[in-house]
Amino acid sequence: MDDEVCAVRPGTDVAGHARLLAGIHDAVLAGRAPAKAPRRLVERSWRRVAAQGVDPDRPPAPDPVGAAEVERRRTVCRLNEVLPELRGALTSVAEDAHHLMVVTDADGVVLWREGARRVRHRADSLGFTEGATWSEPAIGSNAIGTALAEAAPVQMFAAEHFVRSHHTWTCTASPVHDPRTGELLGIVDVSGPAETVHPMTVALVGTSVRLAEAVLHQRHEARLEALRRLSGHLLSTTGLVVDDHGWVAAQHGVHGIDRVAAPRPGVPVAVRGIGACEPEPVPGGWLLRPSRRETLRLTLELDPPRAIVEGSARWTHPLGKRQADLLRLIATAGPAGVSAAQLSETLYGDRTHLVTVRAELSRLRKLIGGLLLGRPYRFAPGVEVVLMQP
């Protein structure tokens, strides 16, 4: 097991290790040389959260989103598709070990939390509840937030947590990615009282994540195969048949297209080699055929921030300031496009905010259909972009 992931090794004196970590935590925060250096992963996390202004003695008060927002996020989070598999793999084990199974979305917002009632009550006292954001800037070093920041599995034990009130806790988290694109979907975590830590939890969570990703891939292939069988009598002219996420099951008159933006009723989709296409619902997906209007215009207004798209239909979306900034930078980059790392450096002054940038860009691509392409990020051919000055 990798020391960068595992906080506790088999045979470790858990109580003694917790005391050692408490001494390391106190020394580092006081500016003294610790008896032993913290793990590299933990040291990186402490540096990040200290720079973000997290106070180890007075962390930000938990401010969970409301029940309606939790339900909305559950609906759009693709981990809801594999929740039965995660429950089957982790919930009973977590209950037996006096732990919780926790699933978050890509923002670190807790969407599902299941396990022993007594442990849920202890989690409540930390604000570790449905709707709470468990990222590093929100709550300091913890397995969920640090797994998001490091884009890797993380186990944290006792005083490896930056905030002292969390020193009685242990947690093991791993990111779940879309097996087709690598897009971060969320985090799976097993957490509980520090005295119940177990070295094999890392392997258990990792196995559960691989199972979830495999199931997502199998269901994706099954959906596409069903659409392929349907597409024979649909594609007599140029067009594509795609699933709800924009993955191409069949195409006619074009070739080499794997994915377009997720179709939505009444919103034109830009398709390479065709131009603007109108989405028509078919069982299990969408039929995309050339629109009467080949050119799409996106007008980006900055005050207030909003996108106005004009094609065969006209639609307007309000934007957050960060979303508007991203679209402005992508438009300025021109046809060559711009990478997530370059956007992170421009917006934040460094390249360490890739997860945040990619998550925001993923939301933008869903918001404005096929107008925005990825890797590198750029506007689709045939999209005219107009930047309005405030």
Side-chain angles (χ1 to χ4, degrees):
M1 289 184 288
D2 189 348
D3 286 332
E4 274 288 274
V5 178
C6 299
V8 175
R9 310 289 293 180
T12 297
D13 173 7
V14 172
H17 191 48
R19 289 192 294 272
L20 172 65
L21 292 174
I24 293 172
H25 183 277
D26 290 344
V28 170
L29 266 62
R32 303 191 308 270
K36 181 181 178 181
R39 289 189 296 146
R40 294 189 298 275
L41 176 146
V42 173
E43 186 176 19
R44 290 195 299 270
S45 178
W46 286 0
R47 287 177 177 171
R48 283 194 299 268
V49 300
Q52 290 158 349
V54 177
D55 188 331
D57 297 304
R58 300 181 63 186
D63 185 22
V65 300
E69 176 63 10
V70 169
E71 192 56 39
R72 186 194 70 80
R73 286 175 177 262
R74 285 175 173 173
T75 301
V76 300
C77 179
R78 291 198 54 227
L79 294 187
N80 63 15
E81 297 180 32
V82 290
L83 197 58
E85 285 76 14
L86 292 172
R87 283 173 172 148
L90 292 174
T91 299
S92 62
V93 176
E95 288 178 341
D96 291 343
H98 305 291
H99 277 62
L100 299 175
M101 181 199 78
V102 177
V103 179
T104 83
D105 63 11
D107 296 323
V109 176
V110 176
L111 300 184
W112 294 278
R113 188 191 67 157
E114 301 177 4
R117 179 179 298 179
R118 181 175 62 85
V119 185
R120 290 203 306 270
H121 291 328
R122 289 186 65 169
D124 290 345
S125 68
L126 298 175
F128 193 24
T129 61
E130 286 89 345
T133 300
W134 224 247
S135 63
E136 283 190 341
I139 208 67
S141 303
N142 69 93
I144 291 172
T146 303
L148 286 171
E150 297 273 337
V154 172
Q155 183 178 55
M156 280 203 176
F157 171 66
E160 289 185 324
H161 293 86
F162 188 74
V163 175
R164 286 189 169 88
S165 60
H166 297 169
H167 287 187
T168 60
W169 209 247
T170 183
C171 46
T172 304
S174 181
V176 186
H177 295 91
D178 187 316
R180 304 156 301 182
T181 66
E183 176 189 357
L184 176 68
L185 301 178
I187 299 288
V188 172
D189 169 81
V190 171
S191 291
E195 63 270 17
T196 63
V197 66
H198 195 287
M200 294 309 297
T201 307
V202 172
L204 176 64
V205 172
T207 299
S208 301
V209 165
R210 288 191 293 274
L211 170 64
E213 292 175 344
V215 171
L216 286 170
H217 182 71
Q218 290 167 2
R219 291 178 182 169
H220 163 70
E221 290 298 328
R223 285 193 293 265
L224 290 187
E225 184 55 35
L227 281 169
R228 289 187 190 106
R229 291 194 296 267
L230 175 72
S231 65
H233 69 280
L234 294 176
L235 287 177
S236 57
T237 60
T238 298
L240 304 91
V241 175
V242 304
D243 70 4
D244 286 336
H245 303 287
W247 288 96
V248 177
Q251 50 198 299
H252 185 274
V254 290
H255 61 88
I257 301 175
D258 296 322
R259 190 184 187 188
V260 298
R264 292 188 301 162
V267 179
V269 176
V271 177
R272 175 171 51 84
I274 300 179
C277 286
E278 299 290 342
E280 303 173 35
V282 298
W286 300 83
L287 172 63
L288 302 180
R289 292 190 287 199
S291 170
R292 291 184 300 274
R293 174 166 176 163
E294 295 293 324
T295 301
L296 294 173
R297 173 182 292 176
L298 181 145
T299 302
L300 179 61
E301 297 184 350
L302 302 179
D303 187 21
R306 63 176 184 164
I308 302 170
V309 180
E310 297 170 280
S312 58
R314 186 181 190 277
W315 37 280
T316 301
H317 278 297
L319 300 171
K321 183 180 183 305
R322 186 64 71 201
Q323 292 176 322
D325 288 341
L326 285 167
L327 289 177
R328 176 179 54 81
L329 291 171
I330 293 168
T332 303
V338 62
S339 69
Q342 290 170 317
L343 291 169
S344 174
E345 189 164 22
T346 302
L347 290 174
Y348 297 101
D350 57 51
R351 298 195 173 200
T352 63
H353 292 77
L354 292 180
V355 172
T356 301
V357 169
R358 285 172 179 154
E360 196 67 75
L361 286 167
S362 177
R363 286 189 285 268
L364 270 173
R365 292 182 71 185
K366 293 176 183 177
L367 187 71
I368 61 173
L371 278 67
L372 187 61
L373 305 179
R375 297 185 179 182
Y377 295 101
R378 64 205 185 280
F379 284 99
V383 176
E384 177 187 355
V385 181
V386 178
L387 299 178
M388 301 295 291
Q389 298 302 318

